[in-house]
Amino acid sequence: MIKKELTSLNISPIERGTSTGEQWFSAGEILVSTSPVDGNDIGHVCASSREDYERVLNIAFEAKRSWADIPAPRRGEIVRQFGEKLRARKSELGKLVSYEMGKSYQEGLGEVQEMIDICDFAVGQSRQLYGFTMHSERPAHRMYEQYHPLGIVGIISAFNFPVAVWAWNAALALVCGNVIIWKGSEKTPVCTIACQKILAEVLADNELPEGISSICTGGADLGRWMAADPRIDLVSATGSTRMGKEVATMVAARLGKSLLELGGNNAIIVTAHADLKLTVSAAVFGAVGTAGQRCTSTRRLIVHKDIYNKVRAALVDAYTQLKIGNPLESQNHVGPLIDHQAVESYLAALKEIEDEGGHLLTEGGIIQGEGYGSKCYVKPVIAEVANHYRIVQKETFAPILYLIRYEGSLENAVTIQNSVAQGLSSAIMTTNLHEAEYFLSHKGSDCGIANVNIGTSGAEIGGAFGGEKETGGGRESGSDAWKVYMRRQTNTINYSGTMPLAQGITFNL
């Protein structure tokens, strides 16, 4: 279905999944990338062996010093050129993202646009890797802080955003003077290869050495190699909370640095003062966009009893209008889940909802028939539940929206929202200024992202992205997230000709 795009992106039917730039090699097992859109194979990728991984690390280790020696604005120029390459290939890469992952073509284009946006941000940041100057208590001394590159940044990304989250990390890590090693999801390996080839073109055009940007392909074992490897100065991992805990434990055991973007169990609070039209629009897109496979997908809708029935009726009506099918066709709102394992998780969640006493307001199940041959298409579901249900406390990567009624004050709704282990994204729908400000106060949402009158899904490049609690506490993308990719150093310069000590201490020799 996307042969033209694959050719344009220089993707062959059989690809090597290990690269340090222009060099490509692999000696591991063969992975088959199968599209959830139609069940057809996209390509075969030879995964990385342990020997391949060691070769990548050795080359990256050699490259890190020469890359760090290049002035930061010049590194920014390389990232700018990468952004221009992405602009030229936005359509092809966006379609590949859609076809290999299963999100709509518009969402695929949006994901590539995020890559372009973070490149633009990083270019400006390359001239703003600022430190601070402070006054010393000792005469004729100057104190300041500065930031240096870490060295090697390992990036582990997930299938649901197969290119954008890597770019968030890569663009900033590169302008900060680090080299990068990327383990893309084994479920979307062709997207990983396509991105590496585009960036490798830029590096080769500028006669830069191998190892500035590398990829390895594989499963959980590869992630464990990276987490345990003391040569990797920072491991940035995006995925499930279970995976993140394993990565964090292994990195901490060697006193390394980790940046974790993990699970979400995101809620929208709908108060009695909410705008119903805004509420339904935000909730539906948040719940069914990317077939509910975003870390910021809306999982829970916490609705005040006074408007509960209106919201419920409007949501059920909206769900009858959803079109489910091939995400490359623009009339469809919902595409497939990533694979059959995801479908099984969805079906298990539906059973658990009913076992715990929940009520399905819309019919669930797998969609059969012509055009759904991959058997990865499922019906989006609205379920009336109580927040304490075990299934509601979990994150199910599927289009399941939990409808929860609350009574009394906004404090009650916030308590319900915050009583889950995850803390990524949250929102409140209200036209009441007091409610909005309370939600954003220290007494309100405990999430890393808190929105008013927009949904939980989606984020702008300019702000730091990330969450609290079992979401991992990391921050990526905008604001001052660049600092995590650098090491902080405090400097004191004595130009007095004497040796005064701090705190007035004297030490006479």
Side-chain angles (χ1 to χ4, degrees), residues 155-377:
I155 304 167
I156 301 172
S157 63
F159 73 86
N160 58 332
F161 281 86
V163 297
V165 172
W166 165 73
W168 288 4
N169 285 274
L172 290 177
L174 287 171
V175 299
C176 288
N178 304 292
V179 301
I180 54 176
I181 299 173
W182 179 21
K183 177 204 171 306
S185 171
E186 64 271 30
K187 297 182 180 183
T188 53
V190 179
C191 284
T192 303
I193 289 169
C195 291
Q196 173 70 357
K197 288 192 173 186
I198 295 171
L199 181 51
E201 284 182 18
V202 175
L203 297 172
D205 289 346
N206 288 271
E207 299 181 345
L208 290 166
E210 293 285 307
I212 293 172
S213 173
S214 303
I215 64 168
C216 291
T217 301
D221 283 347
L222 174 56
R224 294 185 186 103
W225 299 342
M226 294 174 69
D229 196 330
R231 294 170 294 182
I232 297 182
D233 300 278
L234 171 70
V235 177
S236 176
T238 303
S240 68
T241 297
R242 177 194 55 76
M243 178 276 288
K245 287 180 177 180
E246 185 175 358
V247 168
T249 300
M250 297 181 76
V251 175
R254 60 179 175 86
L255 297 180
K257 299 178 185 293
S258 60
L259 168 59
L260 303 175
E261 296 289 355
L262 310 176
N265 194 349
N266 314 297
I268 299 176
I269 294 174
V270 185
T271 79
H273 303 102
D275 180 307
L276 186 60
K277 185 177 180 180
L278 288 180
T279 297
V280 172
S281 178
V284 173
F285 175 73
V288 308
T290 323
Q293 296 173 109
R294 293 184 176 214
C295 53
T296 56
S297 290
T298 304
R299 309 288 176 199
R300 299 173 294 145
L301 205 63
I302 303 167
V303 185
H304 192 275
K305 68 178 183 63
D306 289 353
I307 61 168
Y308 182 86
N309 289 337
K310 285 184 179 179
V311 172
R312 178 177 61 182
L315 282 171
V316 171
D317 179 65
Y319 270 51
T320 65
Q321 302 173 52
L322 292 175
K323 292 181 173 60
I324 306 166
N326 188 328
L328 295 176
E329 297 175 3
S330 60
Q331 75 273 15
N332 292 324
H333 303 108
V334 185
L337 294 178
I338 184 65
D339 56 21
H340 296 147
Q341 182 181 356
V343 173
E344 291 303 315
S345 294
Y346 159 86
L347 294 174
L350 296 187
K351 183 179 184 303
E352 193 167 346
I353 291 167
E354 295 186 319
D355 288 346
E356 291 195 74
H359 173 58
L360 301 185
L361 297 176
T362 58
E363 182 186 23
I366 303 172
I367 302 175
Q368 308 282 357
E370 186 177 354
Y372 303 105
S374 69
K375 298 182 180 179
C376 291
Y377 293 85

